Amino acid sequence: PITKNTPPLPINPYGKAKLAAEEAIRDFANSNPEFKAVILRYFNVYGSDPSGRLGEYPRPALRRYGRISGACFDAALGNIKELTIMGTNFPTPDGTCIRDYIHVTDLVNAHLVAKKALSNPPALFNIGTGKGISVKEFVEACKTVTGKPIKVKEQREARPGDYAAVYADPRKINTELGWYAQYTNVEESLRHAWEWRKAHPRGY
């Protein structure tokens, strides 16, 4: 798991950009003593508002680069002909990469709780469930939730810069701020997103 002491050594542009943003916040805080901030590190966000008020509808132009949940739903709705799993030769139990998926509502609550930790130098917290889920497990959950015969294409080669397993160790925010992820069941969280997506097939 990624802990608060894990050295930040990103291997892809996305990770490097996130680290650069953190450093910019720290630099600004260092030069402005009255400025206070808190830094949250989190991973794969998914789900929708459980009450159905808000959801995610990726622009069609971004479907190729979107979240796996959005790709699953696009395949279930027939917007794309198949769902591609990129990378099946990782050193993991089923060969696909493992990630920590965090429900968007949990993430919103983490931001609200983190306001209590605003400080200079900025505090740092990992936000996550503390457990990893493989891409294949995620896809199977999506099939169950949608009830659709999603066609899955397995691509042996992984995307450049993908780690085999990345998931958070959230114990610091658990103990210091009392925040815990509430939506840790993948099928339940996907169902929130799927219900919204079915009700909004063309977005808002």
Side-chain angles (χ1 to χ4, degrees), residues 44-47 67-70 72-73 83 94 96-97 99 101-102 133-145 186-187 189-190:
N44 297 63
V45 185
Y46 76 127
R67 296 184 177 90
I68 186 173
S69 56
C72 282
F73 297 158
L83 171 64
D94 66 18
T96 62
C97 63
R99 294 292 182 266
Y101 295 91
I102 179 75
I133 298 168
S134 78
V135 170
K136 278 188 177 180
E137 290 172 326
F138 193 95
V139 170
E140 288 305 312
C142 189
K143 287 181 177 180
T144 299
V145 168
V186 177
E187 288 188 12
S189 299
L190 280 171

Side-chain angles (χ1 to χ4, degrees), residues 68 83-99 101 133-139 152-165:
I68 186 173
L83 171 64
T84 301
I85 294 178
M86 299 180 183
T88 59
N89 62 344
F90 287 101
T92 60
D94 66 18
T96 62
C97 63
I98 294 173
R99 294 292 182 266
Y101 295 91
I133 298 168
S134 78
V135 170
K136 278 188 177 180
E137 290 172 326
F138 193 95
V139 170
V152 178
K153 174 185 176 182
E154 295 189 1
Q155 175 182 301
R156 179 175 172 79
E157 298 77 21
R159 298 177 303 180
D162 263 354
Y163 288 96

